[in-house]
Amino acid sequence: REIREELKVLQATDDTKKIAMVSEFITSLYYSARDISSVVEDDMNQEGFKIQYIKRGNLLQPMVMKATDAEDELSNKKEINYYIGSMARHTLIQLCGYLAFLKLLIEDNSYPLIPILVIDHISKPFDEKNCMAIGKVISKAYESIGKENLQIFMFDDEPFENLSIDPSHSEDLVTETKSGFNPFFISFSSEPVNDEKNVPEDEQMD
């Protein structure tokens, strides 16, 4: 019972400093793609745009500054939720969020953690140019986290060059001799192998 009560207190308590730190890092990662992504550039044109982490509901909420009076843009302004319908925006924001929380967990060093992020077909909602925002965000995150502290495994149909990624290792999982089902599969020759040389002479047949 004491443990349950303690958990309730922890769930209801917000570490505002950490929440602000995570929100700022997520926003900075997102902004890092502004020179290459029209998606990010459009959001930057919104006054006061930022991505706020909200603990209740575990949400990443884009926010902007808007006048309290729709007819008077000079009136007092406040932060309001900014709703974006683009799946590419949502995906990029989610990537920023995952990287920010990994950074937090790694730096806190309070929990047993295997620092690996696996990403599957992230390029799907992006067009050709905005795909490169993925690599920009990952590169920016590595500047703070360090490549030696986090491994990222990516599976995608797009070549890594199109994502603006410079990987330590790249493996083509689908070729004429193997499929993505087993990336380490090695095909054997279809020609019959003559094993007679390995059979003792007294056991060979004419």
Side-chain angles (χ1 to χ4, degrees):
R1 182 176 180 178
E2 291 177 359
I3 292 174
R4 285 199 297 267
E5 292 299 323
E6 185 178 352
L7 283 173
K8 287 181 181 179
V9 172
L10 288 172
Q11 289 172 345
T13 302
D14 290 339
D15 188 330
T16 55
K17 184 178 180 181
K18 280 189 177 180
I19 289 175
M21 182 176 64
V22 167
S23 300
E24 289 171 7
F25 189 64
I26 291 171
T27 303
S28 69
L29 290 180
Y30 189 73
Y31 274 5
S32 69
R34 61 187 176 276
D35 295 331
I36 203 168
S37 170
S38 59
V39 167
V40 178
E41 186 179 9
D42 289 345
D43 289 336
M44 286 191 65
N45 290 332
Q46 302 293 325
E47 185 178 357
F49 177 88
K50 70 175 185 179
I51 302 167
Q52 177 68 43
Y53 171 66
I54 301 174
K55 180 183 170 184
R56 185 178 294 275
N58 197 33
L59 300 174
L60 295 176
Q61 178 62 61
M63 306 188 77
V64 295
M65 297 293 295
K66 288 290 185 181
T68 54
D69 185 347
E71 297 180 358
D72 183 6
E73 294 185 358
L74 298 179
S75 67
N76 293 330
K77 296 182 179 181
K78 65 176 183 179
E79 289 183 342
I80 64 169
N81 293 345
Y82 177 54
Y83 296 99
I84 50 179
S86 166
M87 182 56 70
R89 280 184 172 92
H90 284 293
T91 302
L92 195 60
I93 289 173
Q94 285 180 335
L95 175 62
C96 295
Y98 279 119
L99 291 168
F101 277 103
L102 279 167
K103 178 178 184 291
L104 175 67
L105 291 169
I106 291 169
E107 291 180 348
D108 272 3
N109 196 27
S110 299
Y111 312 97
L113 179 69
I114 299 175
I116 293 175
L117 178 62
V118 181
I119 305 173
D120 185 36
H121 289 79
I122 192 173
S123 69
K124 188 174 181 180
F126 293 86
D127 59 27
E128 183 176 348
K129 184 175 181 181
N130 283 296
C131 260
M132 302 184 77
I134 297 167
K136 289 289 185 180
V137 166
I138 291 174
S139 296
K140 180 68 174 179
Y142 267 138
E143 289 177 11
S144 298
I145 299 172
K147 282 193 173 184
E148 69 280 5
N149 296 321
L150 172 64
Q151 284 188 304
I152 299 178
F153 292 85
M154 296 187 66
F155 299 87
D156 211 290
D157 295 330
E158 288 288 336
F160 60 83
E161 298 93 339
N162 292 359
L163 306 181
S164 190
I165 291 175
D166 182 19
S168 300
H169 177 75
S170 174
E171 182 81 22
D172 192 347
L173 301 184
V174 181
T175 67
E176 293 181 356
T177 60
K178 67 180 180 181
S179 73
F181 179 77
N182 184 351
F184 306 106
F185 172 77
I186 299 175
S187 64
F188 294 95
S189 173
S190 58
E191 298 178 1
V193 178
N194 185 0
D195 290 334
E196 286 187 358
K197 61 184 179 181
N198 297 324
V199 180
E201 291 184 2
D202 58 349
E203 293 183 13
Q204 290 184 14
M205 299 179 63
D206 293 332

